[in-house]
Each structure stands twice: as C-alpha cells, then as structure tokens.
Amino acid sequence: MDLDFTRAEQDFRAEVRDWLAGHVPGVPLPSMDTREGFEAHREWEHLLAGERLSVVSWPVEYGGRGASLVEWLIFEEEYWAAGAPGRVSQNGIFLLAPTLFSHGTAEQRERFLPGMARADDVWAQAWSEPEAGSDLAALTSRAERVEGGWRLHGQKTWSSRASYADWGFGLFRTDPASARHRGLTYFMFPLDGVTVRPVAQLDGEHGFAELFFDGLFVPDDLVLGAAGEGWRIAMATTSSERGLTLRSPGRFLATADRLVRLARSTGADPVLADQVARAWLDAESYRLHTFGTARRLAAGEEIGSASSMGKVFWSELDVRMHALALRLLGERGLLDGGAPDAEEGGRWLDGYLFSLAGPIYAGTNEIQRNIIAERVLGLPR
Amino acid sequence: MDLDFTRAEQDFRAEVRDWLAGHVPGVPLPSMDTREGFEAHREWEHLLAGERLSVVSWPVEYGGRGASLVEWLIFEEEYWAAGAPGRVSQNGIFLLAPTLFSHGTAEQRERFLPGMARADDVWAQAWSEPEAGSDLAALTSRAERVEGGWRLHGQKTWSSRASYADWGFGLFRTDPASARHRGLTYFMFPLDGVTVRPVAQLDGEHGFAELFFDGLFVPDDLVLGAAGEGWRIAMATTSSERGLTLRSPGRFLATADRLVRLARSTGADPVLADQVARAWLDAESYRLHTFGTARRLAAGEEIGSASSMGKVFWSELDVRMHALALRLLGERGLLDGGAPDAEEGGRWLDGYLFSLAGPIYAGTNEIQRNIIAERVLGLPR
Amino acid sequence: MNFAFTDDQLALAAAVRQVLAAHCPAEAVRNGRTPAWSQLAEIGLFGLLVPQEHDGLGLGLVDAVLPFEETGRAALPGPVAETAVAAPLLLAGDPALGKLAAGSLRVSVRIGDQGYAPDADLADLLIVEREGVPYAVRPEAARLTPQPGVDRRRPLFGVEFRDAARLRTGIAPAVRAVTVAVAAQLVGAARHLLDTTVGYARTRRQFGAPIGSFQAVKHQLAEVAIAVEFAAPLVYAAALAVDRHLPTVDRDVSAAKAAAGEAAELAARTALQVHGAIGYTGELDLGLWLARVWSLSAAYGDPGLHRSRLRTAILDTPEVRRWP
Amino acid sequence: MNFAFTDDQLALAAAVRQVLAAHCPAEAVRNGRTPAWSQLAEIGLFGLLVPQEHDGLGLGLVDAVLPFEETGRAALPGPVAETAVAAPLLLAGDPALGKLAAGSLRVSVRIGDQGYAPDADLADLLIVEREGVPYAVRPEAARLTPQPGVDRRRPLFGVEFRDAARLRTGIAPAVRAVTVAVAAQLVGAARHLLDTTVGYARTRRQFGAPIGSFQAVKHQLAEVAIAVEFAAPLVYAAALAVDRHLPTVDRDVSAAKAAAGEAAELAARTALQVHGAIGYTGELDLGLWLARVWSLSAAYGDPGLHRSRLRTAILDTPEVRRWP
C-alpha cells in the first residue's frame, strides 16, 4: 500500500493542470440548462476534446488517451480544482459509454463514441417514468416490433439535458406480457422525433424534461445488446466503473477546498468550523477510498453493491457541504445570481439546490441503504 | 397561556425544597441493585412517606396529598435537583398504581396502595419474556384456571427490582387458544413463590432478573380487572398519566444542569459547549411541553399516542447528555466508582449505561417511531 | 400555571386559519403579492399588538404566536411579520398606529441581524436601523436595490435613504418580537410540510405499496414530527418572555429561532426526500414552502448565529436560569 | 500509486486473524489477561516494527495496521499496542529491542494524551512521560494505582515512580504510532460489532419476522457499514503518513483516531439498540466489545480532542494540504 504517484502520473497531472490554467473560462459559462449555455458548454467540450482531455480513459481510437483509472481520477481532481465548467456530455460519457463498451457492437462504438467524445452528439438519459420513480422495474413505456426495428410509445421523465440534447437512451418494455425486470430492452434514439417538455425546477431552470413517445421508429441497429436484456445490461455497469465515475472525488474535493476558504474568509464560528473540517476530511476519505476502489477495479475485481456505500456517502456529504456554506453566509447565502450582494454569483445556492437531488437520483439513498443491508451485509429482504 | 405558578404552587415548591435540603443523604446511597442499597432506598422511601412526599399526587387516604399534576411536576423538579436518591418504588407507583386507580377494585386499592406508598411493599414489573422482547403481544407465559384462582407458569425477563422486591405484576395468557393481544390477564403476585435469577448487566450489577413460574397459586383477588382484559388494561394507562410519569422532566433538568456545571468546570471546547447548550434547551423544551400536556390531561383530554414522541425525545436526550459528559471528561469519564480519579464516583458512567436502556425499554424507539407515524401522523401500517 | 392556549387565543388562530384557507391558497401564494391582507386586516391581525387607544386590540405577542403559525402554514406572502409585529413596537406612540391597526399602512423593516428589507417594494413605510437607531423612511426617500434570492415570494431589498425621521423607540424589543413571529411562521411552515408529505406518502405508490408504509419513510417523518413538537414550546415560551420583559428574553428568543429554524429545515429536507424528484420541480407547490423555510430560517439571524449566542448565554453566565 | 494492501500485508493480517481465532475466543477475552500472546510472538507481531538488526521484521506501521485491526476485531486483551507499536519506537537503539521482538518483554506506557497506563500490572517495563521526556521504569520502582473503569479487560493504572532511566528518544513518534494502532483496533472492533449484530438480526425474530428484515434495522446497520468503510482509509493513510514523516502527520493521525472512534462508537450504540435488552447483560459477549470500544475511543485522545485539533489544522493553517 502506498500513495506515491508514478512519474507518468505526476507528468499527466502537471500537463492537465497547465492546460486547464490556460483554458478554463475566466467567467463562468451561462447555465447549461439554457440554450445559450448549452451551446457554450458544447464549445468547451470541443476544446477539451481537441486536447484529448474530454474522455481520457477511453481508447485513443475513440478520442481518449487510454488513461488508467488512477489517471482519470487525477484528471478529475485537476478539472474540478481548476473551476472548469460542468460536463454537458456527462450522461453520454459516464452512463451510456460504459455500456456501449461492454455490450455495444463494434459498429455502434464506432458510430457513436467519437461524436460523444467531441460533444458533437450530446446524449440525454431517459430512465425514469412518472409512475416508476425509484421503482425502475415498474417501467411501462413500450417498444412495438415492426419491420426492421421498433416503434416507441410512452412517457419518460427526469430526463436531464433533454431540452437541447441530440440523442437519448433508455429502457422500453419489448415483451408486453413481461413484468418487472424482464422483457425490457435498451434503446438509443434520436431526440428530434420525440416531444420534449421542459420541467421547471426549484431554481426556475429547466434541467429536466419529460419525453413523450408517440410511435417513434427506431431501427434495430439502435438497440443496445439483445432485446429483453435491457435490465441486465443497464445494471451490469453500475457495479463496475459506473459506481466510480458517477461522481468522482475531484468534484467534492474542490467543493471542500472552496468551503474551507469560505470558512476562513468569513471567520467561521468554531461549531461551523468543526463541521467544515469534518467535511474536508470526509471528502479526503472519499478520495482515498476511491483510490483503493480504482486499484481493485484495475485488478479485475467487481465492486458490486459496495458502490451503494459511496453513493450515500458522497450525496449526503455534498448536501452537508453546501448547507454549511449557506450557514456560513447567513442571509446572503440565499441570494441568487441576480443579486448584487450574492457570493460567487449565487454559486453556493445553485450548488445546494443541485446537491439536494443527489440523495434522490440514481437510486434514492433509502434504496441504497436497502442494497447495502441486503447485498453487502446479507440481511434478509 | 402563561407560566405563572400560583401562590399555592410556589408554597408547595418551597416546602419540598426545604424539606429535601434538610433530608437528602449527603453521601449517595449504595446501588439499589444490591441488598444493602435496596434496603437503604426503602428506608429513604419510608422517610419520604412520613412527610407524605412519596406519592404526592395520590389521594390523602392512600398516603398522598391529592396534588395536581403540575404540583407533581414541581415535586419532581425539586426532587431531582436536590440530588435525592432514585425511587426503588418506581415500578409500583408509576406503572402499577395508575392501573389500580383506574381498573382495580376498592379492596385492591385499600390493600396495596398504602403499603406501596410507604415502600413496605416494593413491586417488580414482569412484562417481558425471552421470545417477546419488543413484541409484547407474543407473550406465552400462562395462567391455568384452578379452584378459587389461577396457577402461573412460564418465564419472564428484564424484571427490574425483582431481586429484592416483595411483589410482582404482569400479563399471563389465560385463554390457551388465544393469540396476540387477546386472552391475556393482568396478575399481581407475591415474589416469594417465584424463582428469581438475577441477570448481570454491563456494569456488573443485577438490576434485572429472570422470573420462573412453576405453578404459583394466585387467588382471584389478585387479578386486576377482568380475565382476558389484561392487554387493554395495561395499555389504557399508557396514554393517560403514565405517558407523563414514566420519566418526568425533573430528572432531565437536573442532568442538564449538572452537565452545564461540568462543562463550565472542564472549560469545554466550543463544539462540545454547543452540544451542552442544545441539551440544556432540549431538557427545557421537554419541561415546557410537559407543562402543556399536564394541562391537557387535567382538562380531561387523552394524550394518546403523542406520548411516544416524548419517549423518543427524552430517551435520546438522556443518552446524548451522558455521552457528552463522558466526552467532557475524556479518559476519566470511563472510570468507575472504584477509581480514585473518578468524577462524582463514576456517576456519569453509571448514568450513561443506564441511559442506553432508555431507547430500548418501554417499547423500543423504533416501535415508538412506528406508533408516531401510524397513529399520530396516519401513515399506513 | 397554564402553559396552554386560552379559548380566545385558539379562536383568533382559527379565524386567521379560516381567512387564509379562503383567500390564500397555494395559487395565491404563487402569483399574488399580498393575498388575504385585507381580510386579515378585517379580523384585526394588524392591530393585535397596537394599543387600544390607537384602535388596536392591545394584546401580547403570546396572542400573536398561533396566528403567526397560521401565516407560516399558509406561506402568506407580504411583509406580515414586519407590519403586524415589528411596526407596532417601533412606532409606539406614533399617530400612524391607527392606520397600522386598520391594515392601511404596510411596513417593511431592516433591523437587527436582517441585512435586507423583505417586500420593501410593497411598503408604505420603511423602518431602517442605522447605528442602533430606527429611522422611518418614506418610500420616495428610499433607494431600493433588489437582492433576489431563493424565495421569490419574499423578495429582499437593500435600502439606502436620504431623508428620514428618527424614531424614539428602541430597536431591541422590535427585533425580539419579529424574530419570535418568524419562528412561529417557521413552525407553521414545518407543520404544513409535514402534513403535505404525509399526504403524499399515503397515496404515492412504489414497489407495489404506498411509500408511507415503508419504515424508512415512517421514521423520517416521525423525526420531523418530534422536532416540530419540541420546537413549538420554545417559541411559545419566548413569546411570553418578550411580553414579560424577562431577563432571559434574549436567550429565549434565540432558542425559539434556532429550534424553529432547524425543525423547519429538517421538515423541508425530509419533504423533498420523500417526494423525490417531483418535489424538486415547479409542478408541485412544495417548492413555495421549501423556499419560504430557507428564507425565514435565515431571516433575523440564522440558526447558526442564534446557537452561538445560546452557547454563550448558557455556558458563560454564572447561573443558568429557568423561568418561572 | 497503489492504495491497496499488498499480498504480504494481507497474508500477515490473515495469520494474525487465524491465531486469534484459535487462541483468543470470546471466552479467553472474558477470563484471560494475555491470551494468544505467545502465539502472536511466534508469528512476529511484536517484532513487526523492531529493526532487523534487533531480530525484528523492520516493517512499517502500514504493515501493522491490518494486524491491529485483527487484534481489535478479537478484542485481544493485554497491552498489545503499547508493546508492539509504542515500545519499539521509544526503545529505539536499546538492546532490549531483541527481547521485545521475541515477545518476552511486555511493555505498558503512559504517554501523550493518555493519563493512565493500560494493563500496567502485567508489564515487564513501564515507559512513562514526564514533561515531554520518556522514562523507562522497572515494575519494582513503580507505584501503580488501579483506576478501574468500564473496560475490565483493559484495566488502567496511575503510575508514580522513584527510580527511572531517561530514554533518548522522543515522545511524539511513539504517540502517533500507538494512536494509529489503536485507531486500527477500533476499526476492527467496529467490524466485529457490525458482523455480530448482522448475525443476531438475521436470526432474532419479533413480530413474526427476523428483525433484520425491518427497514429501520437495515438502515441503521447500513449507516454503520458506511461509517466503518470511510473511517478505514483515513487510518491507512495515517499509517503511511507516520512511516513517511509527512508534515501533515499530526493532522492525519487525529483524523484517523477521530473517525475510527466515532465509527466504532456508532457501531457500539447500534449493536446495543439492535440487540435490545439482551445486549445490555453479561449473558452475551457483546458487552466485552462495547467496553473495549468505549475504552479505546477515549485512549490517546478521544474524538472530541482530536476533532478540535483537526479544526485548527484545517481552518487555521494558511493552506490545507492533501497528500500526495
């Protein structure tokens, strides 16, 4: 056991840091939940991709550098520490791509990965449905078999990025007689044949949308894996890298460092200072833990349901850090970007509202605790 | 709404305070879980009873003063603030007596209450059984109908005070065909016909015992209420005064005040000081809340399942206060009464171990939270 | 000693609740600036604390605490705590009290730990603290800087002024009273969030059962119920302490605001978690109450500030006093 | 960078675990003073940190951290952290190191934030700090005052002495190392409590079902699992920081002890709550581990003390440093 980065890892970190220092926009980009901000973020992804920094862990042929998991973690640390923009490509590169690598055809990988890496194609996820929030197996949207492909029917919700994205992916029921996890199929589809209705969030922006499918035709070559295997395919990656890549430590380390700076500048009361110190160390612990996990994955181990522990830990930490920042700022913490007195353009408030979704999405923390209890600890269902 | 004590209430407080100042033993009595300590506590109860201070809220004819609930709360505040000994009569006067008042016969009241008030008879409770810990309706101990009475069979456990007490009370199944809450009967019984096996606790003392019944004969006049009505009778009092009297605020107020003094004398770190201040205010809130409850009870209202909120609140508070005291004392906090360096003869440690039982007994806090959710909030079972 | 509300106090609260139910539904909260204000004026809410010689009811803060719970429960918009609670104390002896009692003088304030004046653009009169002294500022003499934030139905404004009349009253009594009123609103908002979330949990089904039948949801909601149940008495006691000018009043006010703020924040967090993603959107009205809780919890000193004062009051004074 | 244990490190931990399983069952914890010590000596536990020239293994603290988790998991009695971790550093260069490595010199210490010497009555040698300097004290020159406490299998003693040899080493490195070793023991004890409680919850039935099927129990145990899972990496990193003499070492040691202590205390509290009244008695072995957790959490600075140091280290230094 050691914490010594290799020469190559150190060089990579230095390169990333230097490049970001020279290229991260001085003024934050507009919100990616606006048309203008979306395009600005896409431009930024183009810039990243030009340096082969958009998907460092992918093979070179698809636009990456074939970097190791540890190098990817280094990239993430530097990326968020530099205050670089959020990743508009996130759904594609972190949720869809791992599945394409493991279950897609060579043609699908060649067709979609390079465009995803350059953000020429931005992908929206379409997992959830109004009546199947946390209970993903209760999906009712369906795909009907037709000549050469399928026709999609039904409604999806909480589709992030869908307002402006190019493509979507999600599960549809292909066997009408099936129930729960069986008979679902993993589809990719163009969003221009889908009715997209943006949903206003607490902060008034439209990061989510509802998708309405009214017989959209999807050819067979947009099915990922075999028909009826959708659930297994979608879940398979959650226990491998996705558990790691959903939220990398770099993000929380950057927030923790900002929080410490905020606490110093506001002369935090000792009680709040104690909580800030705890949060900083929790972020550090998440980082160290992830280094260990990366090694186990690199050695070919599966992390399985243990990723649920990480999900609960980082999502609660993220809420705690942002709530703490609002406490440090008092009344000013609740001002938004339009207020002259807002701190950092209301970034802590935005971050707080965003953080509150963490314990809800990607399996609520209640469900994660069930998974930990049943699958990690072995308690009865 | 006001917080103004009447002249009579103030006079009563002054009288109690003066009397206690003159009579509370200067040196703490030995533990009531030893033979010697038990008798010392019984002596103390005699002294209290001589002043009609052992059961102030009972009618004069049974040894009380007919005091109001508010006066009883005043008594409790003064009693614990004076550092007076724990009540060895507790099971009888707080658990059994309310049921005797509401469901006992006049003969039973006359026969048992005066002796209980003087601690001539000390009572042990016998609710729980090895296989029916939190699930009280799963009781299997049974009473068999015989000429003129019943014969008791089975095993009870977690019987506090039973090692040295004179009498016991508990539920036995009188209808062998019955299940769950039905067919249980409320019995009183002399302990000298019962095999009592003390159970060692974490702290090495024997506050609990197991009781083994091997056909003990109990005449009909020791049945409380009607046969088969035991569950209803036992539960009826929990929603009236018992919810209030199980743990009066006075106890926690006294602990909170001691904690504040300890924090001052040890120069608490601000983070611990913050928690001390919170605990002090929580105790205060419990006090105020109880004043409100006392008024509602006095006006003839039932407090119903809301007493579950109090149970969770005070039991968690009690653990928190004692854990905090141990933190304030560091390594010394864990020394017991035999250690020369122990603070207050290891009283905080004893109190901590005792407090840990709070969230477990009288219905675990998990069960209380279910009750709150289902009966107070109306969530589905 | 009777730590329970009198029939009169309960009747007044019921009247306020009735008015709000009729005239301040969620739709009005979403779109109106001062819904139900005229009806509340009719039943005397704005004259509660105004002396009888100025046509008020001449009651105490303890009489206002349940009505203010109701305004919090309804998320009533407008500077109601400032007008009905802060202003009567700041304007004590002023002839304007008559208009105040009648509900025809809307007031916003910037006093105490509050850096901004809420709903200042609606005010007929601003009262602004400068170096510990209150000044009455007419709207036309004030320059308001909008400081928009999370609660768009309680907009905040920075206030600068040219021309102002120095008031003879002190700041502290008004700060204490308005802080308790806001604490009561937080208790009310928390009760609403609890009720709404319980209602949602009873009907929303996942995994084949109402989510309210899952123990994790039950226990989270039970914890909210406990937090609210034991925050409320501190608010009521603080109102009494203000009315009686007790020596412990500042401690009691801080205890009320800290406990109410924390209970309401817990209610908000739990409401959102139990609702799941839908709670996060503008589709439901939930967000109106979440924003209100966050904004009121930070108003007149957030729980962190009041907790630090409590630490000092309890640990650093020679003898902690209970009252009575 | 490889933040995972090597095969050698895992093998050593497995060997320790095997020895403890065979020679330190709960019965031995209950009744023995130094069960398994001779077998642990045979596999080299006491020579781990002793340099090779003194017949030790010459390894680092990072190699000891998993073996120490195992001693915590087994609630191994005796001054094992003091003998195997503190003593090799305090006696650096001393010829006694050979006996230490062989397991024939049992050592208790009273250094750093520890006010009492654990198991001092069993020690062949006491090392006691006075004004920042360590002294070696022979048992016959020491007066021990028993200070019995909650953990009767780790008795504490006050130490006074007449006659002592001043040691040339510093106190700080030994304090850091023994603190990390105790943090590792706490992680191990927490793992044992979690396993035991899971086992109990799988079999104990109430209300017609195993209590482990109730969500409230599941979620409490899941929280314990998370706390332990994320305390452990801080302990491992602290061991590396000690071995590398990093500038952040004191912060890292405090982080390890605070996090491990808090995780273990949560495990203890939850274990007792899930077991219910039976956990409260001497009928089960549970109490042995509860007492050990409480006693080790308070040893060498309790979580409160280390948290206050962390606050200073993180908030009051000009730049918080991560390592690497």
Side-chain angles (χ1 to χ4, degrees), chain C residues 69-88:
Chain C
E69 271 194 32
E70 296 303 331
T71 65
R73 193 196 295 268
L76 177 69
V80 62
E82 291 72 19
T83 302
V85 177

Side-chain angles (χ1 to χ4, degrees), chain B residues 295-319:
Chain B
R295 274 296 147 188
R296 286 163 54 205
L297 286 168
E301 291 179 46
E302 293 256 310
I303 57 171
S305 308
S307 67
S308 291
M309 295 209 255
K311 160 77 202 312
V312 174
F313 191 78
W314 66 248
S315 61
E316 301 287 347
L317 170 61
D318 203 32
V319 174

Side-chain angles (χ1 to χ4, degrees), chain A residues 180-341:
Chain A
R180 306 290 303 161
H181 310 84
R182 283 173 291 276
L184 296 167
T185 300
Y186 198 130
F187 284 93
M188 300 177 281
F189 49 83
L191 273 169
D192 54 14
V194 178
T195 305
V196 177
R197 190 177 75 86
V199 177
Q201 289 167 237
L202 283 180
D203 56 9
E205 296 192 339
H206 293 85
F208 296 129
E210 290 182 307
L211 308 182
F212 298 89
F213 298 85
D214 187 20
L216 174 71
F217 175 74
V218 177
D220 281 328
D221 60 4
L222 290 182
V223 172
L224 217 169
E229 290 289 300
W231 179 268
R232 196 179 62 75
I233 291 169
M235 292 299 119
T237 47
T238 63
S239 64
S240 59
E241 290 185 25
R242 218 199 85 193
L244 194 68
T245 57
L246 185 63
R247 282 285 178 267
S248 73
R251 203 182 268 259
F252 308 108
L253 295 169
T255 303
D257 286 343
R258 285 174 58 223
L259 183 63
V260 167
R261 289 195 293 272
L262 181 68
R264 284 185 186 148
S265 72
T266 56
D269 179 87
V271 175
L272 298 181
D274 172 73
Q275 293 169 30
V276 169
R278 276 172 197 267
W280 192 88
L281 286 165
D282 284 347
E284 186 66 11
S285 170
Y286 185 56
R287 175 189 191 228
L288 294 167
H289 188 270
T290 305
F291 281 147
T293 307
R295 275 296 147 187
R296 286 162 54 205
L297 286 169
E301 292 178 46
E302 293 256 312
I303 57 171
S305 308
S307 67
S308 291
M309 296 208 256
K311 160 78 204 309
V312 174
F313 191 78
W314 66 249
S315 60
E316 301 287 348
L317 170 62
D318 203 32
V319 174
R320 213 159 60 239
M321 288 195 291
H322 285 90
L324 203 41
L326 298 189
R327 225 24 138 228
L328 289 167
L329 290 166
E331 208 183 3
R332 278 179 57 222
L334 297 170
L335 301 182
D336 68 28
D341 288 0

Side-chain angles (χ1 to χ4, degrees), chain B residues 130 133-135 158 197 200-204 269 271 316 327 331-332 334-336 339-341 353-354 359 366, chain D residues 114-116 146-150 152 204 206-207 220 265 269 273 277-278 280-283 287 294 298 302 308 311:
Chain B
S134 299
D135 184 9
W158 315 130
R197 189 178 77 86
Q201 290 167 236
L202 282 181
D203 57 8
D269 179 87
V271 174
E316 301 287 347
R327 236 0 153 241
E331 207 182 4
R332 278 178 58 222
L334 297 170
L335 300 182
D336 69 27
D341 289 359
L353 297 176
F354 182 75
E366 286 73 29
Chain D
Q114 178 83 5
Y116 305 104
Q147 297 281 358
V150 73
R152 282 178 242 167
R204 169 73 171 170
Q206 294 272 274
F207 304 100
Q220 286 183 42
E265 288 178 14
R269 175 79 205 279
Q273 186 66 23
I278 188 106
Y280 204 67
T281 68
E283 311 265 302
W294 294 328
D302 75 0
S308 78
R311 193 171 79 223

Side-chain angles (χ1 to χ4, degrees), chain A residues 142-158:
Chain A
R142 63 197 168 78
E144 166 197 9
R145 194 74 178 110
V146 294
E147 173 72 28
W150 304 78
R151 288 199 176 275
L152 305 185
H153 300 273
Q155 183 184 352
K156 297 281 181 179
T157 191
W158 316 129

Side-chain angles (χ1 to χ4, degrees), chain D residues 14-27:
Chain D
V16 170
R17 186 170 191 165
Q18 216 166 5
V19 162
L20 291 170
H23 301 284
C24 185
E27 192 52 36

Side-chain angles (χ1 to χ4, degrees), chain D residues 12 32 68 99 135 137 151 153 162 210 231 248 275 302 316 320:
Chain D
L12 182 56
F68 266 84
K99 280 178 73 182
Y135 292 87
V137 183
D151 186 358
R153 279 82 191 177
R162 290 172 275 123
T248 59
H275 278 81
D302 75 0
D316 297 351
V320 209

